[in-house]
Amino acid sequence: MGQLQGLTANQRHVLMTSSFGNVDGKLVRYDREAGDKFTKGVSVTMPPYLEAV
């Protein structure tokens, strides 16, 4: 993910979003392991213009 737009976290996951203009966006989720290690990154391509996600 080149540029980060949104970031949120809870006890189990960290989620990051990237969406800029007419280019497809991306949602990436990482599992949060003990010691604040992030594993099992999963990404989903989202439609463009989702800056408000």
Side-chain angles (χ1 to χ4, degrees):
M1 186 179 293
Q3 295 180 338
L4 179 65
Q5 183 172 17
L7 176 69
T8 190
N10 62 25
Q11 298 283 337
R12 298 177 50 201
H13 301 103
V14 173
L15 296 129
M16 293 178 259
T17 60
S18 175
S19 178
F20 296 95
N22 63 355
V23 179
D24 285 345
K26 189 173 276 194
L27 170 67
V28 180
R29 186 198 80 194
Y30 291 97
D31 292 346
R32 191 172 181 182
E33 303 289 334
D36 286 334
K37 293 181 182 177
F38 304 111
T39 61
K40 301 179 185 172
V42 177
S43 68
V44 176
T45 301
M46 304 290 281
Y49 300 108
L50 289 177
E51 284 83 0
V53 170

